[in-house]
Amino acid sequence: MSDFVSAVELNDLLTRSAPVRVIDVRWRLDRPEAGHDDYLTGHIPGAVFAALDTELSTHGEPSEGRHPLPSTATLQDAARRWGVRAGDTVVAYDDFKGIAAARAWWLLRQAGVDVRVLAGGIRGWKDEGFAVATDDVAPDPGDVVLEEIGADALTIDEAAAFPASGVLVDVRAPERYRGETEPLDPAAGHIPGARNLPTLLHLDATGRILDRETVLANFAEVGVTPGTAVAAYCGSGVTAAHTALVLHEVGIEAKVFPGSWSQWSNTPGRPVAIGDQPG
């Protein structure tokens, strides 16, 4: 069963008053503080704004990366604030190809929640002609109890060792992987042994995942086939969760290194590879 849901399917669930909680996870690297304002300009009726930086992440030292994992307690408090109750399905969406929504999917799935991502995001919802709302939704608190998260996450040492036994995929833009540019972190390049496959290659112009055969062919080019041990990293652990979602859709389970390049490049002594080869 797909972990994506269409706008038509979501509207049908909401119309039938099914036990669904919708969260708006609008967040952009270039506008990290603007997500709530965008939410207020028009969101799916009943959707609650979920803050990626404070509810789906925590703050720490630079050596922990830009988006360290939240504690299970922090995530549970957030889910209850969103109104999630035991047995509910959560549908997450954003306005940028599902990248931020996938972070919610990755965390909540580990926590034992039935979670989906809205294909096409808010744009797909509007394209179907469905209404939007501008209120700041504050539902009655939920009672969900989350399972401990972190089992699908790699530590920095596990990420360093991973290429020896599987495929570590760097899902950033090729120029960042090659070390030609680095707009955010103190060093340019990639983790030695990692292979580059940007996550946006798996999506069409609307942010929907490409067909299964195309996605599998993309991953096969970097050595990932069904049965391969695979892990993904990006700049700060957000986009890599989307790659894990894409892989899950084609039947391949992946780990994520949530510290990603922001942690690696801020940790003294970690080697850096440059160029278009794993190194």
mmCIF file of all heavy atoms in Angstrom, residues 185-204:
data_model
loop_
_atom_site.group_PDB
_atom_site.id
_atom_site.type_symbol
_atom_site.label_atom_id
_atom_site.label_comp_id
_atom_site.label_asym_id
_atom_site.label_seq_id
_atom_site.Cartn_x
_atom_site.Cartn_y
_atom_site.Cartn_z
ATOM 1 N N ASP A 185 27.606 25.102 5.053
ATOM 2 C CA ASP A 185 28.438 24.402 6.015
ATOM 3 C C ASP A 185 29.917 24.742 5.854
ATOM 4 O O ASP A 185 30.335 25.261 4.820
ATOM 5 C CB ASP A 185 28.197 22.896 5.889
ATOM 6 C CG ASP A 185 26.780 22.516 6.290
ATOM 7 O OD1 ASP A 185 26.341 22.965 7.361
ATOM 8 O OD2 ASP A 185 26.101 21.803 5.525
ATOM 9 N N PRO A 186 30.743 24.443 6.882
ATOM 10 C CA PRO A 186 32.132 24.923 6.888
ATOM 11 C C PRO A 186 33.081 24.201 5.943
ATOM 12 O O PRO A 186 34.195 24.674 5.736
ATOM 13 C CB PRO A 186 32.563 24.722 8.350
ATOM 14 C CG PRO A 186 31.669 23.662 8.885
ATOM 15 C CD PRO A 186 30.357 23.856 8.180
ATOM 16 N N ALA A 187 32.674 23.072 5.391
ATOM 17 C CA ALA A 187 33.525 22.355 4.442
ATOM 18 C C ALA A 187 32.680 21.909 3.260
ATOM 19 O O ALA A 187 31.488 21.633 3.394
ATOM 20 C CB ALA A 187 34.177 21.149 5.113
ATOM 21 N N ALA A 188 33.301 21.839 2.094
ATOM 22 C CA ALA A 188 32.615 21.396 0.887
ATOM 23 C C ALA A 188 33.090 19.999 0.517
ATOM 24 O O ALA A 188 34.265 19.668 0.678
ATOM 25 C CB ALA A 188 32.883 22.363 -0.261
ATOM 26 N N GLY A 189 32.174 19.183 0.008
ATOM 27 C CA GLY A 189 32.528 17.832 -0.388
ATOM 28 C C GLY A 189 31.516 16.834 0.120
ATOM 29 O O GLY A 189 30.354 17.186 0.376
ATOM 30 N N HIS A 190 31.933 15.588 0.289
ATOM 31 C CA HIS A 190 31.000 14.553 0.722
ATOM 32 C C HIS A 190 31.692 13.536 1.629
ATOM 33 O O HIS A 190 32.925 13.521 1.745
ATOM 34 C CB HIS A 190 30.372 13.841 -0.477
ATOM 35 C CG HIS A 190 31.335 13.166 -1.399
ATOM 36 N ND1 HIS A 190 31.872 13.789 -2.509
ATOM 37 C CD2 HIS A 190 31.869 11.905 -1.395
ATOM 38 C CE1 HIS A 190 32.692 12.956 -3.141
ATOM 39 N NE2 HIS A 190 32.710 11.804 -2.479
ATOM 40 N N ILE A 191 30.885 12.710 2.275
ATOM 41 C CA ILE A 191 31.409 11.659 3.134
ATOM 42 C C ILE A 191 32.119 10.631 2.255
ATOM 43 O O ILE A 191 31.544 10.158 1.260
ATOM 44 C CB ILE A 191 30.285 10.990 3.938
ATOM 45 C CG1 ILE A 191 29.628 12.008 4.878
ATOM 46 C CG2 ILE A 191 30.809 9.791 4.730
ATOM 47 C CD1 ILE A 191 28.399 11.471 5.589
ATOM 48 N N PRO A 192 33.350 10.283 2.567
ATOM 49 C CA PRO A 192 34.052 9.293 1.739
ATOM 50 C C PRO A 192 33.257 7.993 1.602
ATOM 51 O O PRO A 192 32.739 7.447 2.572
ATOM 52 C CB PRO A 192 35.349 9.058 2.527
ATOM 53 C CG PRO A 192 35.582 10.355 3.239
ATOM 54 C CD PRO A 192 34.206 10.828 3.631
ATOM 55 N N GLY A 193 33.136 7.549 0.359
ATOM 56 C CA GLY A 193 32.403 6.331 0.057
ATOM 57 C C GLY A 193 30.966 6.553 -0.359
ATOM 58 O O GLY A 193 30.313 5.635 -0.873
ATOM 59 N N ALA A 194 30.450 7.773 -0.149
ATOM 60 C CA ALA A 194 29.058 8.063 -0.504
ATOM 61 C C ALA A 194 28.906 8.239 -2.008
ATOM 62 O O ALA A 194 29.820 8.705 -2.703
ATOM 63 C CB ALA A 194 28.581 9.316 0.212
ATOM 64 N N ARG A 195 27.721 7.879 -2.503
ATOM 65 C CA ARG A 195 27.385 8.051 -3.911
ATOM 66 C C ARG A 195 26.278 9.091 -4.036
ATOM 67 O O ARG A 195 25.414 9.184 -3.168
ATOM 68 C CB ARG A 195 26.951 6.722 -4.529
ATOM 69 C CG ARG A 195 28.037 5.661 -4.472
ATOM 70 C CD ARG A 195 27.576 4.316 -4.994
ATOM 71 N NE ARG A 195 28.640 3.329 -4.916
ATOM 72 C CZ ARG A 195 29.561 3.148 -5.863
ATOM 73 N NH1 ARG A 195 29.523 3.881 -6.968
ATOM 74 N NH2 ARG A 195 30.505 2.235 -5.717
ATOM 75 N N ASN A 196 26.295 9.849 -5.101
ATOM 76 C CA ASN A 196 25.384 10.977 -5.251
ATOM 77 C C ASN A 196 24.162 10.626 -6.095
ATOM 78 O O ASN A 196 24.287 10.115 -7.206
ATOM 79 C CB ASN A 196 26.124 12.151 -5.897
ATOM 80 C CG ASN A 196 25.297 13.423 -5.975
ATOM 81 O OD1 ASN A 196 25.311 14.124 -6.974
ATOM 82 N ND2 ASN A 196 24.572 13.755 -4.929
ATOM 83 N N LEU A 197 22.970 10.883 -5.535
ATOM 84 C CA LEU A 197 21.720 10.717 -6.268
ATOM 85 C C LEU A 197 20.710 11.710 -5.692
ATOM 86 O O LEU A 197 20.027 11.402 -4.716
ATOM 87 C CB LEU A 197 21.198 9.288 -6.165
ATOM 88 C CG LEU A 197 19.986 8.958 -7.047
ATOM 89 C CD1 LEU A 197 20.342 9.060 -8.526
ATOM 90 C CD2 LEU A 197 19.452 7.567 -6.730
ATOM 91 N N PRO A 198 20.612 12.913 -6.268
ATOM 92 C CA PRO A 198 19.708 13.943 -5.735
ATOM 93 C C PRO A 198 18.267 13.464 -5.694
ATOM 94 O O PRO A 198 17.768 12.859 -6.654
ATOM 95 C CB PRO A 198 19.882 15.107 -6.715
ATOM 96 C CG PRO A 198 21.244 14.902 -7.298
ATOM 97 C CD PRO A 198 21.398 13.419 -7.401
ATOM 98 N N THR A 199 17.584 13.741 -4.603
ATOM 99 C CA THR A 199 16.218 13.235 -4.427
ATOM 100 C C THR A 199 15.246 13.806 -5.442
ATOM 101 O O THR A 199 14.253 13.155 -5.791
ATOM 102 C CB THR A 199 15.722 13.487 -2.992
ATOM 103 O OG1 THR A 199 14.649 12.602 -2.691
ATOM 104 C CG2 THR A 199 15.278 14.929 -2.794
ATOM 105 N N LEU A 200 15.507 15.014 -5.958
ATOM 106 C CA LEU A 200 14.571 15.612 -6.900
ATOM 107 C C LEU A 200 14.520 14.870 -8.230
ATOM 108 O O LEU A 200 13.581 15.046 -9.015
ATOM 109 C CB LEU A 200 14.915 17.086 -7.137
ATOM 110 C CG LEU A 200 14.762 18.013 -5.920
ATOM 111 C CD1 LEU A 200 15.092 19.445 -6.301
ATOM 112 C CD2 LEU A 200 13.348 17.923 -5.342
ATOM 113 N N LEU A 201 15.496 14.001 -8.494
ATOM 114 C CA LEU A 201 15.476 13.209 -9.725
ATOM 115 C C LEU A 201 14.306 12.223 -9.750
ATOM 116 O O LEU A 201 13.924 11.738 -10.806
ATOM 117 C CB LEU A 201 16.783 12.432 -9.879
ATOM 118 C CG LEU A 201 18.045 13.227 -10.205
ATOM 119 C CD1 LEU A 201 19.243 12.288 -10.280
ATOM 120 C CD2 LEU A 201 17.884 13.981 -11.524
ATOM 121 N N HIS A 202 13.739 11.944 -8.583
ATOM 122 C CA HIS A 202 12.659 10.957 -8.502
ATOM 123 C C HIS A 202 11.276 11.588 -8.632
ATOM 124 O O HIS A 202 10.272 10.881 -8.520
ATOM 125 C CB HIS A 202 12.725 10.213 -7.170
ATOM 126 C CG HIS A 202 14.103 9.777 -6.785
ATOM 127 N ND1 HIS A 202 14.894 9.003 -7.606
ATOM 128 C CD2 HIS A 202 14.847 10.023 -5.679
ATOM 129 C CE1 HIS A 202 16.053 8.786 -7.016
ATOM 130 N NE2 HIS A 202 16.052 9.398 -5.855
ATOM 131 N N LEU A 203 11.214 12.906 -8.876
ATOM 132 C CA LEU A 203 9.941 13.622 -8.847
ATOM 133 C C LEU A 203 9.649 14.311 -10.170
ATOM 134 O O LEU A 203 10.569 14.732 -10.880
ATOM 135 C CB LEU A 203 9.957 14.672 -7.732
ATOM 136 C CG LEU A 203 10.315 14.175 -6.326
ATOM 137 C CD1 LEU A 203 10.400 15.351 -5.365
ATOM 138 C CD2 LEU A 203 9.312 13.147 -5.847
ATOM 139 N N ASP A 204 8.342 14.465 -10.457
ATOM 140 C CA ASP A 204 7.966 15.249 -11.628
ATOM 141 C C ASP A 204 7.832 16.720 -11.227
ATOM 142 O O ASP A 204 8.128 17.092 -10.085
ATOM 143 C CB ASP A 204 6.687 14.709 -12.278
ATOM 144 C CG ASP A 204 5.453 14.857 -11.397
ATOM 145 O OD1 ASP A 204 5.464 15.630 -10.419
ATOM 146 O OD2 ASP A 204 4.437 14.187 -11.695
#
